[in-house]
Amino acid sequence: QVQLVESGGGLVQAGDSLRLSCVSSGRTSTNYAMGWFRQAPGKEREFVATISLSGGSTYYADSVKGRFTISRDNAKNTVYLQMNSLKPEDTAVYYCARSRPVYTTTLPTLRSAYVYWGQGTQVTVSS
């Protein structure tokens, strides 16, 4: 079985930076994407960023493009989300997820494409 554990969340001020980590364990497949999603209070879970198995391809939601960077270190079974210039509207529980095997060049952005999820880590940005 696959387990994902997020860490690195916390309380910061607007304009600050934060790096989230997600460590995975269990069996792996030959081709899958890793993604970050977030869910703010009273809102639905939304896509944030995704990265291919090799790390060569990434895709971001418009709301975080230019501020957030997703990366992965396969040797450590870890995916990261570097968050810069944080805004109060970034406040949410952030979830790490692993997709089902991917056989196209299009990175998945829908929740339905991801089959393994972490427990989430809280990020709070004060104004």
Side-chain angles (χ1 to χ4, degrees):
Q1 63 185 59
V2 175
Q3 292 183 315
L4 305 176
V5 180
E6 305 98 331
S7 63
L11 174 62
V12 298
Q13 293 183 305
D16 284 352
S17 297
L18 204 59
R19 189 182 76 163
L20 305 183
S21 298
C22 173
V23 179
S24 65
S25 62
R27 70 179 183 86
T28 60
S29 61
T30 58
N31 192 26
Y32 62 90
M34 294 294 295
W36 286 96
F37 290 76
R38 66 186 183 186
Q39 187 165 19
K43 297 184 178 180
E44 296 184 352
R45 192 170 302 185
E46 66 175 353
F47 166 77
V48 175
T50 183
I51 187 169
S52 63
L53 178 66
S54 67
S57 298
T58 59
Y59 186 77
Y60 301 89
D62 289 341
S63 59
V64 306
K65 193 174 299 182
R67 298 189 298 120
F68 291 10
T69 302
I70 187 172
S71 62
R72 66 192 302 170
D73 185 339
N74 289 341
K76 297 181 178 180
N77 294 317
T78 303
V79 62
Y80 305 95
L81 184 67
Q82 178 66 45
M83 304 183 293
N84 298 327
S85 301
L86 284 164
K87 305 175 181 179
E89 49 263 45
D90 293 320
T91 295
V93 175
Y94 283 71
Y95 297 90
C96 174
R98 174 182 167 178
S99 77
R100 59 172 53 89
V102 177
Y103 300 104
T104 70
T105 58
T106 302
L107 291 171
T109 60
L110 300 178
R111 287 177 292 174
S112 61
Y114 293 83
V115 295
Y116 300 105
W117 295 82
Q119 83 290 346
T121 185
Q122 177 71 48
V123 173
T124 302
V125 185
S126 63
S127 60

